[in-house]
Amino acid sequence: MSSFSLATELPAWSKLQKLYDAQGKTLSVKKEFEQDSQRFNKLSKTFTNFDGSKILFDFSKNLVNDEVLAALIELAKEANVTSLRDAMFAGEHINTTEDRAVYHVALRNRADKVMKVDGTNVAPEVDSVLAHMKEFSEQVRSGAWTGYTGKKITDVVNIGIGGSDLGPVMVTEALKHYAGVLDVHFVSNIDGTHLAEVLKVVNPETTLFLVASKTFTTAETITNANSAKTWFLNTVKDEKHIAKHFAALSTNEEAVAAFGIDTKNMFGFENWVGGRYSVWSAIGLSVALYVGFENFENFLKGAEAVDKHFCETPLEENIPLLGGLLSVWYNNFFGAQTHLVAPFDQYLHRFPAYLQQLSMESNGKSVTRGNVFANYSTGSILFGEPATNAQHSFFQLVHQGTKLIPADFILAAQSHNPLADNLHQKMLASNFFAQAEALMVGKDENQVKAEGATGGLVPHKIFSGNRPTTSILAQKITPATLGSLIAYYEHVTFTEGAVWNINSFDQWGVELGKVLAKVIGKELDDKSAVATHDESTNGLINQFKQWM
């Protein structure tokens, strides 16, 4: 799959460097529009979903021309992006450091294609779990499933961390318009405050806990789950009732049973499902409970439609591939260290946080698949907040700061809440369009003076412009649309990693702190001073012990 160690070895990389040196610093998007009246039509791509709904991806305000785009496509070919893509969709073990397939795409295989890992078609297994999720969620939502006193379940508490939390949190927030039967809460932080605040607002008689841990050994999750069980038993007094109020999203049947959960209420997923890709799996049970299984399945279908596009569309028209190549262009040639994602949609307020894990856990790597250290920048620092709030916080830096910050703006044309005859949505949209335009066109000295500014005030009001944005305009944020947006960013991240020739699917960097935390955790169990660490860590631990 990979015939190179470093991306800098590829001829197209050298070509792009020459293009950047010759044109990159002077390339003006404004002038490109003046020279090409068809630029918007050429560089905007419309994705049509399985249900006929559309999403427009406008790449035309990016710092590229035909020559740069051709070289980026050439880079994708030389980096064998399509070969690695095809290997992923074929169930090959492209996660080489852990010798695993990367097969989250099989979780949204609603066309029921044969999709094999190690010679076994996994489609029947995926369908079996989904059928179990459907049955369970419909029982709980309808009230057929009751708590130990016969009362209907009113609240669901998902206990997880990382991908077992970020995905369901983001999706339930994004699809809140489609909810209404149950309230869903999420606990992830080992800080006891997180669990304590949730337990204040739920009732043991009517609460269902979902313990989300593939191995059922994740320290934070199991600690929180045990504390939730203690809280429950303090009222209930009888462990047999755990079976009516706890379910497990796990594959460790023995540990699940030991906890007291009926293994009939265990929802599994395989080791080819990475945590940051697990919302499509049984980890999405909280989503199905919240918005209903039909909406959850449309969410899967929306992602499946982008998978189909990514696999079947020529590179020049391939929307996620273009998004990933633009990221490489800014990261590696312009030296951009960050990437802004600003959804102009309050329901998407957790979307940037979700993308942070997807992007930075995947591509925060410094060693290539050829087992050598990269001599170029890899993963971007992704950040974002919903606009228009963000305009009143960090947009100043985006407009006039010294750093180049490529940005994605996301908007739905149709609001779920068209207040005041759509006045709110029109104001929101006007900002969406204006921010991208302002970042591109800027404001020069003559304009500033024409507006009345004089003297030393003039330079403060100049905007350089030429700051790149990608505008993503959906018709409406439906379950299908949301699934498509997530899959888009998954494949953008995949494309980046393929070009950089890194393994986007392990996360060894997460492990070191966990290992040391276990050692220190034992040291905190007694009051004696420690002297086993560096001087700073010893001092901090000993002061903590005194104050605690």
Side-chain angles (χ1 to χ4, degrees):
M1 287 178 286
S2 172
S3 57
F4 66 99
S5 290
L6 295 166
T8 45
E9 298 171 358
L10 302 174
W13 189 281
S14 299
K15 181 183 286 189
L16 283 162
Q17 187 62 58
K18 289 175 183 174
L19 284 171
Y20 173 76
D21 292 340
Q23 304 176 20
K25 296 171 187 176
T26 57
L27 194 153
S28 165
V29 177
K30 200 169 155 184
K31 289 181 181 175
E32 291 295 325
F33 271 105
E34 290 170 359
Q35 294 167 6
D36 184 357
S37 62
Q38 294 301 307
R39 182 177 172 88
F40 172 75
N41 291 331
K42 283 163 55 178
L43 294 182
S44 62
K45 313 293 178 185
T46 300
F47 167 76
T48 302
N49 219 323
F50 76 94
D51 59 0
S53 63
K54 299 181 187 300
I55 308 173
L56 173 65
F57 293 81
D58 176 19
F59 298 116
S60 65
K61 291 188 178 77
N62 281 283
L63 299 171
V64 292
N65 55 24
D66 291 345
E67 200 173 3
V68 170
L69 280 171
L72 286 169
I73 296 296
E74 202 173 321
L75 179 67
K77 291 176 181 176
E78 291 177 4
N80 301 316
V81 174
T82 55
S83 297
L84 189 65
R85 175 202 67 194
D86 294 345
M88 178 173 73
F89 277 85
E92 294 180 25
H93 288 212
I94 66 168
N95 179 352
T96 51
T97 62
E98 296 179 302
D99 192 22
R100 291 179 183 172
V102 176
Y103 225 28
H104 50 276
V105 292
L107 297 169
R108 55 236 195 178
N109 172 27
R110 305 321 301 135
D112 199 28
K113 295 183 293 186
V114 172
M115 299 186 77
K116 292 183 178 181
V117 173
D118 300 326
T120 300
N121 180 19
V122 301
E125 176 195 345
V126 169
D127 283 345
S128 176
V129 173
L130 284 171
H132 189 193
M133 291 170 67
K134 180 180 181 182
E135 178 189 31
F136 184 80
S137 61
E138 288 179 349
Q139 281 186 324
V140 174
R141 284 172 59 85
S142 70
W145 179 288
T146 60
Y148 73 101
T149 62
K151 293 182 179 178
K152 293 180 180 180
I153 297 298
T154 59
D155 293 84
V156 175
V157 179
N158 187 91
I159 301 175
I161 198 166
S164 300
D165 173 78
L166 275 168
V169 167
M170 181 275 290
V171 175
T172 52
E173 284 296 305
L175 300 181
K176 186 176 281 187
H177 175 78
Y178 295 87
V181 176
L182 298 166
D183 288 326
V184 179
H185 316 268
F186 293 88
V187 174
S188 56
N189 201 331
I190 195 58
D191 182 346
T193 298
H194 203 184
L195 178 61
E197 288 296 329
V198 169
L199 295 181
K200 284 179 183 178
V201 299
V202 296
N203 182 340
E205 293 181 82
T206 58
T207 300
L208 173 68
F209 293 92
L210 306 179
V211 184
S213 171
K214 183 189 295 184
T215 61
F216 221 75
T217 58
T218 309
E220 300 93 337
T221 299
I222 300 307
T223 300
N224 278 327
N226 279 317
S227 294
K229 182 169 76 168
T230 299
W231 169 85
F232 177 72
L233 290 175
N234 282 341
T235 298
V236 175
K237 309 299 183 188
D238 190 339
E239 291 202 1
K240 74 179 183 184
H241 296 312
I242 290 172
K244 295 291 286 181
H245 291 268
F246 284 79
L249 316 180
S250 178
T251 55
N252 188 341
E253 187 169 336
E254 185 178 349
V256 167
F259 186 91
I261 295 173
D262 185 342
T263 54
K264 291 178 184 175
N265 304 323
M266 190 174 98
F267 300 81
F269 49 104
E270 294 301 319
N271 69 359
W272 39 258
V273 181
R276 55 192 173 277
Y277 302 96
S278 62
V279 72
W280 316 104
S281 72
I283 292 296
L285 181 59
S286 57
V287 178
L289 284 161
Y290 191 54
V291 301
F293 189 82
E294 183 179 349
N295 284 320
F296 182 73
E297 188 162 42
N298 285 337
F299 171 66
L300 299 180
K301 289 179 179 178
E304 180 187 33
V306 170
D307 293 342
K308 182 177 171 64
H309 170 93
F310 186 52
C311 287
E312 297 179 1
T313 307
L315 301 189
E316 293 79 5
E317 302 297 322
N318 197 303
I319 296 170
L321 182 114
L322 290 171
L325 291 175
L326 286 169
S327 179
V328 170
W329 175 232
Y330 295 128
N331 191 316
N332 296 108
F333 299 94
F334 286 81
Q337 294 183 319
T338 59
H339 187 107
L340 166 63
V341 177
F344 284 68
D345 191 304
Q346 186 59 31
Y347 282 133
L348 293 177
H349 70 104
R350 294 294 292 164
F351 195 52
Y354 174 80
L355 295 182
Q356 283 178 335
Q357 185 193 31
L358 172 63
S359 175
M360 294 196 282
E361 193 168 86
S362 294
N363 290 339
K365 315 288 170 59
S366 55
V367 177
T368 72
R369 289 186 290 132
N371 304 321
V372 297
F373 282 91
N375 59 0
Y376 42 84
S377 173
T378 57
S380 299
I381 301 165
L382 192 146
F383 74 106
E385 284 289 328
T388 54
N389 307 48
Q391 294 170 198
H392 295 269
S393 56
F394 54 75
F395 267 48
Q396 171 63 41
L397 179 67
V398 181
H399 278 281
Q400 287 188 305
T402 56
K403 296 173 173 60
L404 179 74
I405 303 176
D408 295 353
F409 294 162
I410 304 170
L411 175 72
Q414 299 169 29
S415 171
H416 286 296
N417 301 289
L419 301 179
D421 196 26
N422 257 326
L423 172 63
H424 292 261
Q425 192 68 3
K426 290 173 184 175
M427 289 179 67
L428 185 68
S430 67
N431 281 275
F432 170 83
F433 300 125
Q435 289 292 337
E437 183 178 36
L439 284 165
M440 182 185 76
V441 301
K443 187 182 289 187
D444 63 22
E445 182 178 350
N446 291 333
Q447 289 173 288
V448 170
K449 287 180 177 178
E451 291 173 357
T454 58
L457 187 59
V458 172
H460 294 277
K461 291 198 167 188
I462 291 174
F463 292 76
S464 64
N466 213 38
R467 303 200 173 204
T469 58
T470 295
S471 296
I472 302 172
L473 179 63
Q475 286 182 285
K476 198 171 193 173
I477 302 299
T478 63
T481 302
L482 181 65
S484 296
L485 287 174
I486 297 171
Y488 164 75
Y489 279 103
E490 285 180 355
H491 296 320
V492 164
T493 302
F494 173 92
T495 300
E496 294 169 337
V499 170
W500 292 324
N501 200 26
I502 56 177
N503 180 6
S504 299
F505 306 105
D506 60 13
Q507 53 278 331
W508 300 108
V510 177
E511 301 303 320
L512 179 59
K514 287 183 177 181
V515 172
L516 293 177
K518 287 180 181 178
V519 174
I520 293 172
K522 294 176 181 176
E523 294 174 336
L524 296 179
D525 287 337
D526 64 65
K527 295 182 179 180
S528 59
V530 300
T532 52
H533 304 276
D534 63 272
E535 188 176 349
S536 168
T537 304
N538 287 334
L540 287 166
I541 291 172
N542 292 330
Q543 185 65 79
F544 174 81
K545 285 188 172 190
Q546 289 177 29
W547 284 351
M548 188 176 70

